[in-house]
Amino acid sequence: MSSESSTRFSIGYAMPPKKLDSFIQPSFLDHAKSRGINLVPIDTTTKPLIEQGPFDCVIHKIYDEEWKKQLIEFSSKNPNVPIIDHPNAIEKLHNRISMLQVVKGLKFGYHSEMCCVPNQVVIEDSESMLSDPSVLLGLKFPVIAKPLAANASAKSHELSLVFDKDGLNGLKPPIVLQEFVNHGGVIFKVYVVGEYAQCVKRHSLPDISEEKLGTLRGRVPFSQISNQAYVIEEVEMPPMSFINDVANGLRLAMNLNLFNFDMIRDATAGNKYLVIDINYFPGYAKMPSYETVLTDFLLGILNRKPSEATSLELKECQESG
Ligand SMILES: O=P(O)(O)O[C@@H]1[C@@H](OP(=O)(O)O)[C@H](OP(=O)(O)O)[C@H](O)[C@H](OP(=O)(O)O)[C@H]1OP(=O)(O)O
Ligand SMILES: Nc1ncnc2c1ncn2[C@@H]1O[C@H](COP(=O)(O)OP(=O)(O)O)[C@@H](O)[C@H]1O
Ligand SMILES: [Mg+2]
Ligand SMILES: [Mg+2]
């Protein structure tokens, strides 16, 4: 393939080893290179970011405070270099309550489908959860117990399906208890890359009938059940116009470009969708054509006019205004 223009761009990337292994594939590096983009690793351990580069853009998935300080310092010295995305915006996804707050405020054009979140409560301490029934706010069992923190640790993906109050014994707050919604055993995973969205189907927990529920006790732990990309033919996809509106609504409301969200369809109401999880910088390498989608997005950012504010600048304006 020939380069689209003679200008070459340099994009710095910073991410943990697991992400480097999955995201930085030779097929992606080669494709980006053929279109004028050099992807350059950022040294996050031995050298400050401001001493590296020059970069035309920085992409990252590193969560500590030290990295955030480095990004802000880099951005103040290089105000025209886009940082994808702003650490404050990413931080909202590190808590399973704040991550879904944005869904409630979504506004978009007419669709016969609707989009909401399951009933949920946050439990800060074991004592209140076990002794005070009011903290459950009338939540209906079964519920899914999820660690409140969604901070990329293995622990943050250790979930449990809880069938009754006894099943809450031994859970370690802070946790979110979220009503389990029957959804036909399939989730829709929507990958968002700027204005682009792609929806794939993944296996999920099976439905639980009222009859079966009467026989189930306690809780069952599970983890990352929707991460394998199997083909699921028979389930109908949500309409693409609806997916695009939800994806765009979330992107604009969160001021984020690179994320995915997990959505289920309520088995008892075919037009009711529930967003259950939003992830920053997900496993894009599992998204078909990720090399071209990501390269198109990066070229779009790099070819923006300097007058178009970067993600970091935009957010700072919002915060100070
Ligand atoms: O590793 P992968 O490819 O399974 O990607 C994980 C994502 O899987 P998905 O693309 O949604 O199937 C995964 O999505 P889920 O939370 O499992 O829905 C997370 O985004 C995970 O990142 P983190 O551990 O939450 O920071 C992602 O892990 P990292 O690659 O960021 O470590
Ligand atoms: N409220 C819910 N109702 C039904 N299934 C759910 C619900 N919440 C989560 N799940 C199932 O559990 C999986 C993991 O939950 P999720 O919130 O996406 O956590 P993680 O961040 O570890 O992916 C989902 O992909 C889905 O299969
Ligand atoms: Mg998930
Ligand atoms: Mg997640």
Side-chain angles (χ1 to χ4, degrees):
M1 211 182 291
S2 67
S3 176
E4 277 168 19
S5 76
S6 51
T7 320
R8 288 209 71 82
F9 295 110
S10 180
I11 297 201
Y13 59 88
M15 43 200 73
K18 179 172 168 270
K19 196 67 172 174
L20 291 174
D21 285 350
S22 69
F23 183 69
I24 303 297
Q25 298 288 332
S27 59
F28 176 44
L29 296 181
D30 291 349
H31 181 80
K33 196 170 221 167
S34 74
R35 297 178 64 191
I37 295 178
N38 294 335
L39 283 150
V40 180
I42 292 171
D43 175 352
T44 54
T45 49
T46 64
K47 231 175 171 186
L49 176 60
I50 41 160
E51 288 172 20
Q52 301 178 60
F55 300 122
D56 299 294
C57 174
V58 170
I59 58 174
H60 67 109
K61 183 176 181 168
I62 302 265
Y63 289 160
D64 59 63
E65 280 301 309
E66 170 54 30
W67 173 248
K68 185 170 159 182
K69 262 194 241 146
Q70 292 207 34
L71 278 179
I72 290 171
E73 190 182 4
F74 176 87
S75 203
S76 69
K77 299 219 161 70
N78 303 277
N80 292 324
V81 176
I83 307 288
I84 307 294
D85 281 294
H86 192 296
N88 291 351
I90 298 172
E91 244 161 48
K92 298 224 167 73
L93 299 187
H94 294 167
N95 171 302
R96 290 189 192 266
I97 293 291
S98 59
M99 92 166 43
L100 296 184
Q101 256 152 8
V102 66
V103 178
K104 294 181 184 153
L106 277 188
K107 288 196 178 59
F108 40 72
Y110 175 79
H111 288 284
S112 53
E113 294 76 22
M114 59 178 151
C115 181
C116 49
V117 300
N119 292 329
Q120 57 182 9
V121 294
V122 60
I123 303 289
E124 300 287 358
D125 64 277
S126 309
E127 243 169 81
S128 67
M129 173 172 70
L130 299 172
S131 60
D132 176 5
S134 71
V135 297
L136 298 182
L137 293 173
L139 218 58
K140 201 170 159 285
F141 285 100
V143 296
I144 299 201
K146 310 184 182 189
L148 179 60
N151 55 6
S153 63
K155 279 241 163 297
S156 72
H157 293 291
E158 286 173 8
L159 278 49
S160 308
L161 181 54
V162 184
F163 301 111
D164 51 25
K165 199 160 177 291
D166 286 346
L168 299 173
N169 283 313
L171 288 174
K172 296 215 164 48
I175 52 173
V176 173
L177 298 179
Q178 187 180 83
E179 276 184 6
F180 173 84
V181 177
N182 278 338
H183 56 282
V186 170
I187 67 157
F188 303 104
K189 204 171 254 296
V190 181
Y191 288 93
V192 180
V193 183
E195 291 174 20
Y196 177 91
Q198 184 179 147
C199 180
V200 298
K201 291 181 270 192
R202 295 276 178 82
H203 281 292
S204 180
L205 299 171
D207 289 353
I208 308 171
S209 64
E210 284 292 331
E211 196 186 18
K212 183 101 193 282
L213 194 56
T215 67
L216 297 165
R217 299 276 174 272
R219 69 164 180 272
V220 181
F222 69 96
S223 182
Q224 301 206 299
I225 50 157
S226 304
N227 285 45
Q228 296 303 317
Y230 297 116
V231 180
I232 306 162
E233 295 285 5
E234 65 279 13
V235 174
E236 195 188 328
M237 283 283 206
M240 202 55 214
S241 60
F242 173 65
I243 300 261
N244 277 330
D245 274 0
V246 177
N248 265 317
L250 289 176
R251 175 176 65 86
L252 295 170
M254 299 191 299
N255 197 30
L256 289 176
N257 290 284
L258 301 176
F259 62 96
N260 75 3
F261 59 97
D262 297 343
M263 197 164 70
I264 55 177
R265 181 163 53 211
D266 189 330
T268 61
N271 63 348
K272 184 177 173 190
Y273 289 84
L274 302 110
V275 175
I276 52 171
D277 186 24
I278 309 179
N279 304 295
Y280 189 64
F281 214 132
Y284 282 120
K286 282 182 278 181
M287 176 179 85
S289 310
Y290 97 101
E291 298 89 343
T292 47
V293 172
L294 267 296
T295 305
D296 288 347
F297 165 73
L298 293 172
L299 282 172
I301 296 284
L302 294 164
N303 288 317
R304 262 186 340 198
K305 290 182 214 79
S307 61
E308 293 175 60
T310 66
S311 184
L312 205 51
E313 291 159 337
L314 250 180
K315 187 71 186 162
E316 272 162 6
C317 291
Q318 285 165 358
E319 276 163 1
S320 59

